[in-house]
Amino acid sequence: MSEAKLDQLLEGMNELRLVTRAILDRQDETDAKLEALTLEVHQLKGEVAELKRDVAVLKQDVAELKQDVAVLKQEVAVLKQDVAVLKQEVAELKQDVAQLKQDMAEVKDGQDRHERVLETLALRALEWNAFRLDHLRK
């Protein structure tokens, strides 16, 4: 084998070593990137699992809120009926108060008439007594 061929072989081997070294360096970079991606995927899986738990809790909370809203709607309906009844009762009470005022006015008028009659009777009693005393003196 000639020296030129040996130099060529050595040069080829050096090139092959450089190419192999470059491939190994690239493989190390690729492995590091793959490890980083794997770590990120595991992290994302954890976050997704946490989000799923949070969504499940939120769904339960929403279901409870819906039940609460349904109960509140029923209570509001009952309260509306109660308010309607109260309005009716207030209207009736107003009528009763108006009637009581009218009755009181009539009672007062009657009382005034009775007082006038009593005054008249008292005057006549006094007049009668005076008349009787005058008559007894004579």
Side-chain angles (χ1 to χ4, degrees):
M1 241 195 231
S2 73
E3 207 172 297
K5 278 197 172 201
L6 277 175
D7 284 342
Q8 263 186 340
L9 279 174
L10 281 174
E11 200 177 305
M13 283 176 60
N14 280 338
E15 268 185 56
L16 188 57
R17 203 176 321 127
L18 289 173
V19 168
T20 303
R21 173 57 43 207
I23 289 173
L24 288 174
D25 287 345
R26 287 270 175 102
Q27 183 64 42
D28 287 344
E29 287 176 17
T30 303
D31 289 347
K33 288 179 181 178
L34 182 59
E35 242 181 82
L37 282 173
T38 303
L39 183 63
E40 286 181 24
V41 166
H42 286 298
Q43 209 173 15
L44 288 172
K45 282 183 178 179
E47 289 175 6
V48 166
E50 189 176 338
L51 286 171
K52 284 182 178 180
R53 284 190 300 272
D54 291 347
V55 166
V57 169
L58 287 173
K59 282 182 178 178
Q60 185 176 352
D61 290 348
V62 166
E64 289 174 8
L65 287 172
K66 284 182 179 178
Q67 288 174 346
D68 291 346
V69 166
V71 168
L72 287 173
K73 283 182 178 179
Q74 290 173 346
E75 289 176 355
V76 165
V78 169
L79 287 173
K80 283 182 178 179
Q81 290 172 347
D82 290 348
V83 166
V85 168
L86 286 173
K87 283 182 179 179
Q88 173 94 23
E89 289 175 354
V90 165
E92 290 172 4
L93 285 172
K94 284 181 180 179
Q95 289 176 348
D96 290 347
V97 166
Q99 185 62 46
L100 282 173
K101 284 181 180 178
Q102 185 178 352
D103 292 348
M104 287 300 294
E106 290 174 5
V107 166
K108 189 167 171 48
D109 287 345
Q111 186 179 7
D112 289 344
R113 278 193 312 265
H114 283 69
E115 285 177 2
R116 285 193 302 273
V117 167
L118 285 175
E119 286 174 5
T120 303
L121 287 174
L123 282 175
R124 289 197 178 160
L126 287 173
E127 289 172 355
W128 173 252
N129 280 337
F131 175 74
R132 233 182 51 188
L133 284 174
D134 277 346
H135 216 56
L136 288 174
R137 282 188 206 155
K138 292 184 183 179

